[in-house]
């Protein structure tokens, strides 16, 4: 019911910055929470950042102070601004939304590769 399209991935040097975007379409009116996850080779998927419909945010300890999650409700889009990137940030990043009025749902984006070179 909700489709997510991610953009902004790519290759960047350590210390650089990137901004990821995730645009939602479909039945977007019941979205409550938007998240960014990442998964590096040989590691489990990790929750990086989350933002609620009220604007409350939370971050993994590994990215706090460097990454910022935000949302533009008018554009149905969530962003992840990534600054001071480190090689250990290299992973596939996934957008995820949670919501529901009469029933709960979870939708995932296709993933976008972030590679940070040393």
């Amino acid at each position: 019911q909700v489709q997510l399209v991610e953009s902004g991935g790519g290759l960047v040097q350590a210390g650089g910055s990137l901004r990821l975007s995730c645009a939602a379409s479909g039945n977007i009116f019941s979205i409550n929470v938007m998240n960014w996850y990442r998964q590096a080779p040989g590691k489990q998927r990790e929750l990086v950042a989350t933002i609620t419909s009220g604007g409350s945010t939370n971050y993994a300890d590994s990215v706090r102070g460097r990454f910022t999650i935000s949302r533009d409700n008018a554009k149905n889009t969530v962003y992840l601004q990534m600054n001071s990137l480190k090689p250990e940030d290299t992973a596939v990043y996934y957008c995820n939304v949670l919501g529901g009025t009469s029933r709960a749902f979870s939708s995932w984006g296709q993933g976008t590769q972030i590679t940070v070179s040393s």
Side-chain angles (χ1 to χ4, degrees), residues 81-99:
Q81 179 67 48
M82 304 182 292
N83 299 324
S84 302
L85 283 162
K86 304 175 180 179
E88 51 263 43
D89 295 319
T90 295
V92 177
Y93 284 70
Y94 298 90
C95 180
N96 165 252
V97 301
L98 304 173

Side-chain angles (χ1 to χ4, degrees), residues 2-110:
V2 175
Q3 295 78 47
L4 304 175
V5 178
E6 297 148 323
S7 62
L11 176 65
V12 65
Q13 294 185 78
S17 298
L18 288 172
R19 188 174 78 157
L20 302 182
S21 299
C22 176
S25 62
N27 187 17
I28 52 87
F29 301 104
S30 62
I31 294 174
N32 295 320
V33 180
M34 307 185 82
N35 305 300
W36 287 99
Y37 285 79
R38 68 185 182 187
Q39 187 165 23
K43 296 184 178 180
Q44 294 184 330
R45 188 171 295 184
E46 172 191 22
L47 178 61
V48 175
T50 184
I51 186 167
T52 70
S53 59
S56 298
T57 60
N58 206 354
Y59 300 90
D61 290 341
S62 59
V63 307
R64 186 175 292 108
R66 299 187 297 118
F67 291 11
T68 302
I69 187 171
S70 62
R71 63 191 296 173
D72 186 337
N73 291 330
K75 297 180 179 180
N76 301 315
T77 300
V78 62
Y79 305 93
L80 186 67
Q81 179 67 48
M82 304 182 292
N83 299 324
S84 302
L85 283 162
K86 304 175 180 179
E88 51 263 43
D89 295 319
T90 295
V92 177
Y93 284 70
Y94 298 90
C95 180
N96 165 252
V97 301
L98 304 173
T101 52
S102 60
R103 61 180 179 177
F105 70 88
S106 177
S107 297
W108 292 85
Q110 79 283 359

